[in-house]
Amino acid sequence: MTPSQITLVQESFAKVAPISDQAAVLFYDRLFEVAPPVRAMFPEDLTEQRKKLMGMLAAVVSGLSNLESILPAASALAKRHVAYGAKAEHYPVVGETLLWTLEKGLGEAWTPELAAAWTDAYGVLSGYMISEAYGAS
């Protein structure tokens, strides 16, 4: 990722943070709509899960400037996800759902440049997590 992409991601996430509850609801509603089988991996009450999602996103976004600082936590998260039943093929669906959620939440502020920056950020992190959880692809 370029420094300008990191700035775009961080500035746009600052606009999402105030609506994090709504964004998390949008995210999980969409995820379960496009990938119904993954619903079984989650608790019935998603209140805590939504908070975890937004907290993890906030930590990752703030750590993009120093990627090495967030990789240990990303590795541990990836390995925990395996125990929950997550598979490598779930990562692209989650990424598409995240981008969809950001587009909905940011409205007109969602530009092709911003979409590319988020796509790159998710690609870097998910690629790392997949390799940590399932071995190099």
Side-chain angles (χ1 to χ4, degrees):
M1 291 188 71
T2 67
S4 63
Q5 284 181 310
I6 291 170
T7 299
L8 279 172
V9 168
Q10 290 173 334
E11 289 175 353
S12 64
F13 190 74
K15 295 174 186 170
V16 174
I19 59 162
S20 63
D21 290 341
Q22 299 96 314
V25 169
L26 272 176
F27 175 84
Y28 283 108
D29 285 353
R30 179 68 175 183
L31 180 63
F32 301 150
E33 178 185 323
V34 299
V38 304
R39 180 62 181 96
M41 292 183 216
F42 294 90
E44 190 62 36
D45 181 354
L46 292 170
T47 304
E48 287 304 311
Q49 185 63 37
R50 290 180 189 124
K51 290 177 187 174
K52 288 178 185 178
L53 170 70
M54 297 312 293
M56 180 270 305
L57 279 172
V60 167
V61 167
S62 68
L64 286 176
S65 302
N66 180 13
L67 199 55
E68 296 298 318
S69 70
I70 59 174
L71 293 181
S75 175
L77 180 63
K79 291 170 185 169
R80 280 195 311 274
H81 279 150
V82 172
Y84 304 142
K87 299 186 181 338
E89 59 263 24
H90 292 137
Y91 282 79
V93 176
V94 168
E96 290 166 16
T97 302
L98 175 62
L99 295 176
W100 179 90
T101 302
L102 291 165
E103 181 179 4
K104 296 297 177 204
L106 292 168
E108 291 181 9
W110 186 253
T111 64
E113 184 181 23
L114 185 56
W118 272 98
T119 299
D120 286 355
Y122 185 78
V124 166
L125 194 63
S126 66
Y128 175 76
M129 291 175 71
I130 290 167
S131 71
E132 287 293 295
Y134 310 103
S137 55

